């Protein structure tokens, strides 16, 4: 098979793999089954940024930043709901709002492999916030080592 033939088959072969399987090959956490979400991934030298987007419209549901230290500072005055993600009890905190119409929640989870997962939800309504929170609380952290892909 010559190079031009291979170049034509690579995009077709990628279509045969489920979109979620392609994203899961990185170190992002496992998305909830049948969530309709896919990862958009950016990687730096000391972090991995995973953006969960709805496959139907590309809207962001939440994001996860994996790094050795979290930029989030827990302040009692910003405490909101309690929850659990992959067996970790968490507390959601109000986050900084870049726009006046956004509702922001964030949390951080210390993972077993010396990484912290900083999870941020941004929503325009309480209903959207509840749905994003439900989806984020369905995450599973199996293999989150940086550079493991």
């Amino acid at each position: 098979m010559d190079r031009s033939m291979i170049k034509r088959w690579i995009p077709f072969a990628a279509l045969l793999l489920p979109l979620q399987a392609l994203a899961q090959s990185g170190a992002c956490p496992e998305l909830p089954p049948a969530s309709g979400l896919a990862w958009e991934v950016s990687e730096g030298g000391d972090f991995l940024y995973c953006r969960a987007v709805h496959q139907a419209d590309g809207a962001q549901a939440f994001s996860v930043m994996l790094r050795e230290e979290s930029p989030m500072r827990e302040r009692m005055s910003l405490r909101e709901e309690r929850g659990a993600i992959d067996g970790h009890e968490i507390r959601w905190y109000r986050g900084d709002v870049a726009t006046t119409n956004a509702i922001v929640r964030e949390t951080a989870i210390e993972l077993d492999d010396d990484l912290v997962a900083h999870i941020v939800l941004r929503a325009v309504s309480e209903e959207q916030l509840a749905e994003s929170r439900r989806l984020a609380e369905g995450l599973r952290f199996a293999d989150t080592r940086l550079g493991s892909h």
Side-chain angles (χ1 to χ4, degrees):
M1 199 178 265
D2 68 356
R3 284 192 128 150
S4 63
M5 185 75 121
I6 292 171
K7 285 182 182 179
R8 282 189 293 225
W9 279 100
I10 288 175
F12 177 72
L15 289 174
L16 295 177
L17 296 172
L19 182 59
Q20 203 163 333
L22 290 171
Q24 296 298 344
S25 66
C28 294
E30 183 181 329
L31 291 165
S35 64
L37 298 174
W39 287 121
E40 288 183 359
V41 181
S42 301
E43 190 171 2
D46 66 345
F47 72 90
L48 183 70
Y49 181 72
C50 306
R51 211 172 138 242
V53 296
H54 293 278
Q55 292 175 328
D57 61 7
Q60 180 174 320
F62 56 86
S63 63
V64 178
M65 171 90 65
L66 296 165
R67 60 185 324 163
E68 289 182 7
E69 292 183 29
S70 173
M72 187 183 114
R73 299 295 169 240
E74 297 173 0
R75 294 196 316 244
M76 295 279 280
S77 63
L78 300 178
R79 280 184 168 188
E80 291 291 336
E81 308 85 5
R82 291 183 184 270
I85 298 177
D86 198 19
H88 301 271
E89 289 187 26
I90 57 140
R91 172 72 81 157
W92 290 104
Y93 292 84
R94 284 188 312 276
D96 294 330
V97 180
T99 60
T100 57
N101 63 343
I103 305 166
V104 178
R105 293 291 185 273
E106 62 182 330
T107 194
I109 301 171
E110 291 186 27
L111 303 172
D112 293 338
D113 45 12
D114 296 327
L115 288 177
V116 175
H118 178 216
I119 303 166
V120 178
L121 315 174
R122 293 185 195 280
V124 295
S125 69
E126 290 293 334
E127 295 80 20
Q128 186 184 43
L129 179 67
E131 177 62 9
S132 292
R133 184 177 149 202
R134 183 188 69 76
L135 291 167
E137 290 182 359
L139 290 173
R140 298 291 172 256
F141 292 89
D143 183 12
T144 52
R145 291 182 303 272
L146 293 179
S148 65
H149 47 180

